[in-house]
Amino acid sequence: MADTPAVKPIPAAPAAPSAPKPQPAGDHAMLRDAHPSGVTSYDVLEDGVGVLTVAADDLFTVAGEVKAMGYRLLSNLSAYDRADHFGVLYCFVKPADTPAQFGEMRLRVVMPKTAGEPKVASLADLYPAADWHEREMYDMYGITFLGHPDLRRMFLPDGWTGFPMRKDYKEAEQFVALRDGEDVVVRTNEEGSW
C-alpha cells in the first residue's frame, strides 16, 4: 500500500462584513437630528419603509413636529407584545397633489416590560383619529395612553379580566352575557351563571 497524503483542512472563509446600518434621509433625518436624545434609532421595516424609534416621554413633541411637517393624517396605530417589550407603531401620511409629493412617516415607541405596565402619551389632541385606536390598544394590550379623553374598554365589558392580545394572557373562566339588556361579564363559577 502506498502512503496516502495527509488531507489538509480547508481554511474557513473570512466572515462577510455586516451591512451598514441604514441611515435616515429627508424628514426622518430632520427629526432624528432635532431630537438626538428622544429619537433612539432608525430602522427599515420588511416593507422597505423607515421607522424612527422615539422615547415614550418624547412622543407627543415629535408627533407634533410630524404634523407640522405636513403629515396631517394618522393612517394607522397598532401595538404589539414581544418577549421583552411592548411597542406601539404609528403611521402618518402627508396628503399630496402628485405621487412625488406624497409622504409616509412611521414612529415606534418601545416600552420595556421591566419598566412595569406600558404607558405612553395620547395623541388624541393632535390627531383625533388616535382616539379609538388608542382605546382599542388599551382594551387588547393594556397600554395606558396618558391624557386620553376617555380611555376605557372598547370591545370587552368593563369587568373583563386581562388583555387578550398579551402573550401572558390566560383565558379566564369568564364570558359575556346579556342581562337586563346590558353586556355583563359572568364568571363560570359565579352563582346564576349558565
Side-chain angles (χ1 to χ4, degrees):
M1 284 209 169
D3 289 336
T4 359
V7 178
K8 293 183 182 179
I10 300 172
S18 59
K21 186 160 174 61
Q23 293 299 311
D27 290 342
H28 286 91
M30 283 189 349
L31 280 172
R32 183 204 53 193
D33 296 345
H35 300 278
S37 62
V39 175
T40 59
S41 69
Y42 173 79
D43 298 293
V44 176
L45 300 180
E46 299 83 31
D47 61 0
V49 178
V51 60
L52 290 172
T53 301
V54 179
D57 293 341
D58 294 301
L59 175 67
F60 193 84
T61 302
V62 173
E65 290 184 34
V66 167
K67 190 168 188 176
M69 295 169 131
Y71 297 89
R72 298 188 329 255
L73 303 174
L74 175 65
S75 65
N76 186 32
L77 188 163
S78 62
Y80 59 88
D81 178 4
R82 298 287 186 266
D84 61 342
H85 72 276
F86 290 99
V88 180
L89 180 67
Y90 302 84
C91 301
F92 305 95
V93 172
K94 181 190 289 186
D97 295 327
T98 67
Q101 296 171 333
F102 174 82
E104 182 180 15
M105 173 71 67
R106 292 185 187 176
L107 302 179
R108 173 177 46 203
V109 174
V110 173
M111 296 157 285
K113 290 185 176 179
T114 56
E117 288 299 312
K119 295 180 179 92
V120 67
S122 171
L123 296 186
D125 287 344
L126 286 173
Y127 293 92
D131 186 342
W132 282 32
H133 287 287
E134 291 175 351
R135 281 186 57 200
E136 180 181 1
M137 296 308 109
Y138 168 72
D139 196 11
M140 297 291 115
Y141 291 94
I143 298 170
T144 299
F145 291 89
L146 303 169
H148 189 281
D150 186 23
L151 193 61
R152 59 189 164 96
R153 291 211 182 256
M154 184 173 187
F155 299 112
L156 297 169
D158 290 332
W160 194 262
T161 303
F163 304 101
M165 295 300 290
R166 284 192 177 186
K167 292 189 179 302
D168 63 355
Y169 180 71
K170 303 275 188 270
E171 191 168 339
E173 295 181 0
Q174 60 187 343
F175 60 95
V176 179
L178 186 63
R179 288 194 180 157
D180 300 323
E182 221 176 288
D183 287 341
V184 294
V185 177
V186 177
R187 309 275 184 256
T188 55
N189 57 359
E190 183 178 293
E191 186 178 323
S193 66
W194 311 73

